[in-house]
Each structure stands twice: as C-alpha cells, then as structure tokens.
Amino acid sequence: MSVKKFIAANWKMNKGLVQSQQFAEEIRAYYEKHKISHIDIVLCPPYTSLEAVHRKINGSGIKLGAQNMHHESMGAYTGEICASMLKSCGAEYVIIGHSERRQYCNETNATINKKVLKALDEGLKPILCIGETLQEREDKITEGVIEEQLKSCLSHISEEQMESIVIAYEPVWAIGTGKNATPHQVESVHNFIRKKLKKMYPDDTAEKVRIIYGGSINPENAKELFALETINGGLIGGASLEVQSFIEIINSTH
Ligand code: PGA
C-alpha cells in the first residue's frame, strides 16, 4: 500500500517569534505557489512560537506540531505544557519520545507510552520517535531495542488509534552528527518495524502507519532515502532551520 509521504521540521530549541513567523510565511508562499499536495508538511516550532506559526499557516494545508507534551491533562506541574494547550494553539501533531528527551530529560518507554495515550485521548496525532544508540547497534541488539520500544510505547493503543500515529525511526548516532544511516540500514529497520506492527495489529492497519526516518537528512542525501518505498518521509532537524534547504528536501520527495 502506498501512503502519503510525511515531512516534519523539528526546530528543537531554535527560532524566536520573529524568525519562526518569517519561516512560516516563506514556506507558505512556496507551498501555495507550487500547489504542493502530494505530501504532508508539518512544522514543529518551540512552544513559544506555536500560536504565531499557526496564524501564518492556517488554512494553507501546512500543519502544526509541537515537540513534546506532559502526560497529565492539567494541574500543578510548573513549567509543563499539556495536550489541550497545544491543541488550543492549533497543533495537530506532537513529537513524543525524541531521543534528546530520553537522554536529557530521562524519558522512558513507560512515560512515553503515557504521553502517546494522552495525546490520542485529546485528539493530537503522535509522531513517536524510536531508535537505537551507537552502542546498541555495535552490540547488534538494534532489533531487540526497537521491538521493546514499539511494544512499550504502543501499549494499550487500539487499532483505530494506531492509524493516527506516525513512527519516526531515528537512530541516536545519526541525529545531529552529520552521519546519516545508509538507505540500506534504514530500509532494513523500517521493514522490521512494519513486520512488528503487523504482529501487533491487523495488516491493513499496520500498512497505513507512516514510518519516517530522521537523522542528518539534508538536501544531498534526501532523494536517495525518499526514493525507497519503505521510507514514508522524514523528521528533519538541522536542515529544517533554513527555508531553502527545507524546500530542497520537500522537493526530494517527488
Ligand atoms: P537532525 O535531527 O536532522 O539535525 O539530525 C533530526 C531529529 O532529531 O529529529
């Protein structure tokens, strides 16, 4: 089954209001001029720019995502942001379980599962990040790690809910390092993920789930990656900060 490709920009802790709005304006102009409809494009700015970016892209077809959320609905969690707040800013998607959050904020598969469940409950679509570390790859336990992440992070997710989830395979050693996984490496893990999803869900549900790749994607390597049918799009960090390189990546999906 062929699914619509999905490209998300993860700006991480970059861009203030002015830069965020400028980027959103420029990408909207390009998107509308070229009548892009063959892929889903999602911008994931920092929390502080969500609403402003939403105003700029509203009605264009470009979608908004956040980079994280808390797993509770609301309450005394100073400094945290919940799903309904993200929705009220116009977010449709939310990145959950990014390896930087696993690494620096001690997020575990169990907390990530709570976030995925809450996001779905509140009507947000999770972009669930999974992936092995360099040590795990060298120890040849990549598949075991991925399987455990899938099982734990997707615990109690119904068949219907699964269709709203995008899975981002992001090998930790390829993120922000300039060292991207080869198409062959990505393809082999993506096939493994699809196989596991088919064990967990009916085939037609598992086939609808988009499995995207993230890790040092840039305008030079994007075409080769996106040419593969098993790679349903990308989660772009560094190369999504400049409009021009992001546009080149979007164009690599043809
Ligand atoms: P990168 O980041 O493209 O800068 O490697 C990707 C990500 O962390 O989602």
Side-chain angles (χ1 to χ4, degrees), residues 10 12 98-100 170 174-178 214-217 235-239:
N10 175 12
K12 310 191 180 184
H98 192 281
S99 64
E100 284 151 15
E170 298 211 307
I175 297 176
T177 55
S216 299
I217 295 185
L235 182 54
I236 325 291

